[in-house]
Amino acid sequence: MATVLVIGASRGIGFEFARQYRADGDRVLATCRTDPAAERLRKLGARPLQADVLDAGSRAALLPQLGGERLDLLILCAGVYGPRTAGLAVPEPAEFDRVMHTNVLAPMHLIALLAPTLAPGAKVALISSRMGSIGLMASASGWLYRASKAAVNAVLRAASLELGGRGVVCMAFHPGWVRTDMGGTGASIDATESVTQMRRVIAQANDSHNGKFLNYTGEHLSW
Ligand SMILES: NC(=O)c1ccc[n+]([C@@H]2O[C@H](COP(=O)([O-])OP(=O)(O)OC[C@H]3O[C@@H](n4cnc5c(N)ncnc54)[C@H](OP(=O)(O)O)[C@@H]3O)[C@@H](O)[C@H]2O)c1
């Protein structure tokens, strides 16, 4: 039985990670921001933790809530898309801050905060996006989101260099285009398929996967 912490598990891909790991009998700690979300997670058999990743006090309160648990897997899933711009429409500063703080600064804080709780050989899965790939980019749509995911990919890569020496395997994932509130109803796969595939890749990951950017099906993606 592994101990898994999912950050951003109230709905969408994060909720599905919590559901599937619980269904397999793992110990699941899962963060959310509201009481109804906590109740849905409790019904799965997960232990809900309250965390708004934008709030420093809320992030810091995670450690005492963990109560000395050692994590075998940390999944960083909380994210926002921000303004759905086309072309070179410049985001408002407040939007820029919200997207960059949620998608980039929060994972930096959380990785640093939670690193001491990772068990030897633990894995860190950061849910990024192919839209953050500079090499594969073919459109300017949602360029703030793209920039945030490119930045968090660099964060993941840097973390892999720090934590790899302790046997921790850090990976960035593109989860596919997934039918969630963010992905929309026209997306190509559902959360069950996305998470089933990522869980298979995570389970098989070894040292050679540390610092890699992976499609949900396991293929390497260009940064
Ligand atoms: N869906 C796709 O097609 C797709 C594609 C590529 C990458 N991704 C990435 O996959 C991840 C999950 O996306 P999703 O499709 O599941 O999105 P979603 O359905 O919109 O869910 C977003 C999750 O992030 C949480 N979150 C947002 N801001 C937060 C904050 N300040 N503090 C704590 N939690 C916060 C939300 O919690 P609340 O319920 O409390 O708001 C929710 O649990 C994101 O990082 C996204 O960028 C998704």
Side-chain angles (χ1 to χ4, degrees):
M1 183 180 75
T3 300
V4 181
L5 171 59
V6 186
I7 303 288
S10 62
R11 54 197 165 96
I13 295 167
F15 183 84
E16 182 62 15
F17 268 119
R19 191 189 70 76
Q20 290 196 18
Y21 278 114
R22 264 312 296 150
D24 272 6
D26 291 310
R27 179 162 169 63
V28 175
L29 315 170
T31 79
C32 61
R33 296 192 281 184
T34 65
D35 290 341
E39 194 46 41
R40 284 195 298 278
L41 290 165
R42 208 172 277 117
K43 281 198 180 122
L44 295 178
R47 194 174 130 213
L49 310 176
Q50 292 284 345
D52 184 332
V53 302
L54 287 177
D55 183 271
S58 178
R59 286 192 305 260
L62 268 178
L63 271 192
Q65 288 187 77
L66 284 181
E69 294 267 9
R70 302 299 271 177
L71 303 179
D72 299 301
L73 173 61
L74 167 63
I75 300 174
L76 297 161
C77 201
V80 291
Y81 191 91
R84 295 197 178 257
T85 52
L88 305 183
V90 179
E92 292 298 324
E95 284 286 18
F96 180 90
D97 288 351
R98 185 175 72 93
V99 173
M100 286 295 186
H101 281 241
T102 306
N103 293 0
V104 188
L105 185 58
M108 294 171 92
H109 275 294
L110 290 166
I111 291 169
L113 180 80
L114 297 169
T117 71
L118 296 172
K123 294 168 183 173
V124 175
L126 181 137
I127 310 307
S128 177
S129 171
R130 191 179 188 281
M131 287 182 72
S133 167
I134 294 172
L136 299 172
M137 205 175 292
S139 161
S141 66
W143 66 338
L144 172 55
Y145 179 75
R146 291 178 188 279
S148 76
K149 292 299 191 180
V152 80
N153 281 352
V155 165
L156 184 282
R157 178 77 184 179
S160 76
L161 299 173
E162 281 294 314
L163 301 178
R166 284 175 37 196
V168 174
V169 179
C170 298
M171 296 160 281
F173 277 95
H174 171 58
W177 184 23
V178 189
R179 288 190 290 277
T180 62
D181 292 338
M182 186 186 292
T185 52
S188 47
I189 57 172
D190 63 17
T192 302
E193 181 180 352
S194 169
V195 169
T196 299
Q197 299 263 20
M198 286 191 282
R199 288 179 63 233
R200 180 182 54 76
V201 177
I202 291 167
Q204 292 170 356
N206 55 39
D207 289 352
S208 73
H209 293 81
N210 189 40
K212 295 295 188 315
F213 184 21
L214 303 166
N215 196 23
Y216 69 106
T217 45
E219 297 88 9
H220 288 213
L221 292 174
S222 158
W223 296 111

